[in-house]
Amino acid sequence: MARKTIANPELPKPPSGKYPAKAHARNVAKWIADNGGPSSGVLYLEGQSTKMTEESHFRQRRHFYYLTGCDLPDCFFAYDVASDKSTLWIPPVDPEYVMWAGMPLQPKDALERYDIDEVLTTDELKSGKSLVNMLQKQQTIVHVIEDRADLAIFKADSVVAFKPDINYEWLRKAIETCRVVKDDFEIALIRHANIVSSYAHEQVLAAATRASNERELNAVFVMHCHANGCKEQAYGCICAAGTAGSTLHYVHNDMPLEGKDNILLDAGGEYNCYCADITRTFPITKNARFTKESKEIYDLVLLMQSECFKMIRAGMVWEDLHMKAHNVAAHGLRELGIFKKDLTVEQIIKSEITTRFFPHGLGHYLGMDTHDTGGNANYEDPNLYFRYLRIRGKVPAGAVVTNEPGIYFRKYPLQAELDAGQWDGVVDQEVLSRYWRVGGVRIEDDVVVKEDGYENLTTVSSDWRTVESMVLAGTQSGS
């Protein structure tokens, strides 16, 4: 009998080849020129630094990775726009580092691994010779990101002589705008993070009824991500049982499961700096079935998501999708009797009561950051429906977004408002009282926006029959 492995050998292999850093650098330089900025100069970035301390956890700066594909600490990068040449400086061999951590990557190996024209050591950078060669060829403009570079090299005598013009205006905005539209390689990385994360979600479903505490299911998810190549989590897991599911970014993940109806698991692994962000809600009742009230809310959230899926395509206005979800929620909660049935959907929307049950935005851009760049959020918006939207305006083809509606039963501040009579004539408190136990239901998938529709990268099922059967199968197998 073959030994059963911890990792799943049947999962698709991750993408191979070099990360397209050079194309990203060219796109950023072009964006600056096309939008009124200088057409030449040097793009200069410093990677995340690190020290050999027990407290440190290295996470590469995302803007640096976007132009280099390099996940090493203590590195520097420059792109010479005029000569279309990229240079990466990596740390030299340090005997003390080798003693603790082994041999570091050498320049010749880095040149083979990364989409970079030249790789040197940081010893060379300190001399300023490479930067001087760049500055001799063109304008002395050096594009940097404020607070992301100490610029010590530009104080070297050989560099100071060229009086470089340090420009903070363009680089951050250019990179954050370019990051919205993903190329095929980036989408492949996000797809792989989704494949692994979806599998990890399935393993949590199978283990659900054998766990006694949220932390056990959190551990199952992280273990299967790590074992299958996603060594980092895209964000801290949200593993919320019972009424804790009404807390959007629940952090405790260590409460007992006994006597609770559902788990809301919002969790995603990270592969080569690219994220998955998936949420599933599932029953943890003794019979592995949704309760009547939980099933009703689950069906409503799934309908909210499916109606929004129908609208996803290039050029869609994100506010329109968000309001579609609210309209579906208003109709559904009225049909359940939580909202008074003599109200029209228009009256319910005008009252803004749905923001108490669906308070967050429909989704966000996804990429190297879970809440990726370029969304142009306005958290000061006086409109309650739009205040927490992380995407505003039209969404282009090639963007990756999450579609994650939810319905939540949060007693604070809703109960106090109900007691004060704020929602008299809108909410039926007797009906509502049957749903507090549901806590929250959220369903979240990651999708690539295309000209005529979308591709769903998330593979774990959200069909309620499949969800229940997976939980039940785990109970019966005892594995």
Side-chain angles (χ1 to χ4, degrees):
M1 181 177 178
R3 185 180 65 174
K4 185 177 180 180
T5 60
I6 296 175
N8 183 356
E10 297 181 1
L11 291 181
K13 301 298 182 184
S16 59
K18 288 186 178 182
Y19 179 85
K22 185 69 175 288
H24 293 172
R26 288 171 176 157
N27 289 342
V28 168
K30 183 178 185 300
W31 189 94
I32 292 173
D34 289 349
N35 286 274
S39 58
S40 63
V42 174
L43 311 184
Y44 176 78
L45 288 168
E46 297 180 2
Q48 185 66 270
S49 62
T50 189
K51 295 181 179 179
M52 294 294 291
T53 63
E54 293 181 3
E55 293 79 16
S56 65
H57 178 77
F58 175 74
R59 185 177 189 268
Q60 186 61 281
R61 288 172 172 167
R62 271 22 191 174
H63 292 354
F64 185 87
Y65 191 88
Y66 188 67
L67 298 191
T68 65
C70 175
D71 199 25
L72 302 177
D74 305 312
C75 295
F76 301 80
F77 169 80
Y79 174 65
D80 181 346
V81 177
S83 64
D84 187 33
K85 180 180 178 181
S86 57
T87 303
L88 175 69
W89 291 270
I90 64 176
V93 175
D94 173 32
E96 186 173 336
Y97 178 92
V98 173
M99 177 180 69
W100 290 106
M103 284 294 292
L105 196 69
Q106 299 297 293
K108 63 180 179 61
D109 301 316
L111 196 60
E112 293 180 4
R113 179 179 298 184
Y114 306 127
D115 186 19
I116 297 291
D117 295 316
E118 182 179 36
V119 180
L120 304 170
T121 66
T122 51
D123 285 343
E124 192 281 338
L125 178 64
K126 293 175 183 177
S127 72
K129 181 179 178 181
S130 298
L131 282 177
V132 166
N133 289 338
M134 294 180 193
L135 296 173
Q136 282 177 332
K137 301 173 186 176
Q138 57 190 312
Q139 299 177 34
T140 56
I141 295 172
V142 179
H143 297 281
V144 300
I145 296 176
E146 196 167 9
D147 301 326
R148 288 294 181 270
D150 66 17
L151 304 178
I153 181 57
F154 293 96
K155 298 175 184 177
D157 292 341
S158 58
V159 178
V160 169
F162 283 87
K163 299 180 180 179
D165 176 10
I166 306 300
N167 185 292
Y168 297 106
E169 180 181 359
W170 293 100
L171 188 54
R172 181 190 295 274
K173 186 174 182 180
I175 293 176
E176 291 185 354
T177 302
C178 289
R179 279 175 57 182
V180 170
V181 176
K182 273 65 177 178
D183 54 45
D184 290 344
F185 197 89
E186 291 179 284
I187 291 171
L189 293 173
I190 300 172
R191 181 182 292 109
H192 190 71
N194 263 268
I195 289 170
V196 173
S197 300
S198 291
Y199 175 73
H201 270 271
E202 292 168 352
Q203 302 315 299
V204 173
L205 286 168
T209 58
R210 293 179 285 113
S212 61
N213 193 288
E214 293 167 345
R215 61 175 173 262
E216 297 172 57
L217 300 180
N218 188 350
V220 169
F221 183 85
V222 173
M223 187 273 282
H224 283 285
C225 280
H226 199 131
N228 288 285
C230 288
K231 297 187 291 183
E232 302 289 342
Q233 293 294 291
Y235 51 95
C237 289
I238 299 168
C239 188
T243 57
S246 66
T247 302
L248 301 184
H249 286 175
Y250 178 75
V251 297
H252 299 294
N253 297 346
D254 63 356
M255 299 303 291
L257 307 183
E258 181 67 29
K260 297 172 183 176
D261 294 341
N262 306 307
I263 288 268
L264 187 155
L265 178 66
D266 184 338
E270 176 184 301
Y271 184 76
N272 283 7
C273 293
Y274 280 79
C275 303
D277 185 0
I278 303 169
T279 306
R280 290 295 182 264
T281 307
F282 51 91
I284 52 172
T285 53
K286 291 182 179 179
N287 66 356
R289 305 292 188 191
F290 285 114
T291 65
K292 175 180 178 295
E293 290 77 18
S294 294
K295 171 65 165 48
E296 289 169 344
I297 299 304
Y298 191 93
D299 286 346
L300 176 55
V301 174
L302 197 59
L303 180 62
M304 292 164 67
Q305 189 192 48
S306 64
E307 289 299 307
C308 289
F309 270 133
K310 295 176 183 178
M311 299 173 66
I312 295 180
R313 59 182 51 82
M316 62 181 170
V317 176
W318 194 252
E319 289 87 341
D320 293 345
L321 271 76
H322 182 70
M323 289 311 301
K324 180 65 174 181
H326 272 280
N327 275 271
V328 174
H331 182 272
L333 293 173
R334 184 190 64 181
E335 292 304 298
L336 292 175
I338 294 173
F339 298 158
K340 296 296 182 68
K341 292 192 175 184
D342 60 347
L343 296 174
T344 65
V345 169
E346 291 75 17
Q347 288 172 322
I348 294 170
I349 292 297
K350 185 177 180 180
S351 75
E352 298 181 334
I353 182 60
T354 56
T355 64
R356 294 296 188 267
F357 294 87
F358 176 30
H360 59 78
L362 178 66
H364 50 81
Y365 286 133
L366 183 71
M368 284 188 284
D369 289 306
T370 306
H371 298 147
D372 214 24
T373 60
N376 300 313
N378 176 16
Y379 299 124
E380 302 300 322
D381 196 322
N383 188 323
L384 283 179
Y385 285 109
F386 299 150
R387 183 174 299 169
Y388 299 113
L389 287 189
R390 297 183 188 272
I391 301 175
R392 302 301 297 263
K394 292 184 178 181
V395 179
V400 178
V401 300
T402 63
N403 182 2
E404 52 174 307
I407 295 291
Y408 311 88
F409 296 91
R410 299 177 299 138
K411 286 202 170 184
Y412 180 84
L414 182 56
Q415 187 63 64
E417 294 173 349
L418 291 167
D419 293 343
Q422 181 174 338
W423 301 111
D424 287 353
V426 179
V427 175
D428 188 321
Q429 293 197 54
E430 182 179 350
V431 176
L432 174 62
S433 66
R434 302 200 300 267
Y435 290 85
W436 290 120
R437 281 183 59 86
V438 174
V441 173
R442 181 163 66 249
I443 302 171
E444 177 181 17
D445 291 6
D446 305 337
V447 300
V448 183
V449 178
K450 298 193 171 185
E451 289 293 344
D452 57 353
Y454 65 92
E455 176 192 354
N456 192 338
L457 302 177
T458 303
T459 58
V460 57
S461 178
S462 57
D463 176 80
W464 69 267
R465 299 173 189 83
T466 304
V467 169
E468 286 189 344
S469 66
M470 292 178 71
V471 175
L472 183 62
T475 302
Q476 295 172 339
S477 69
S479 60

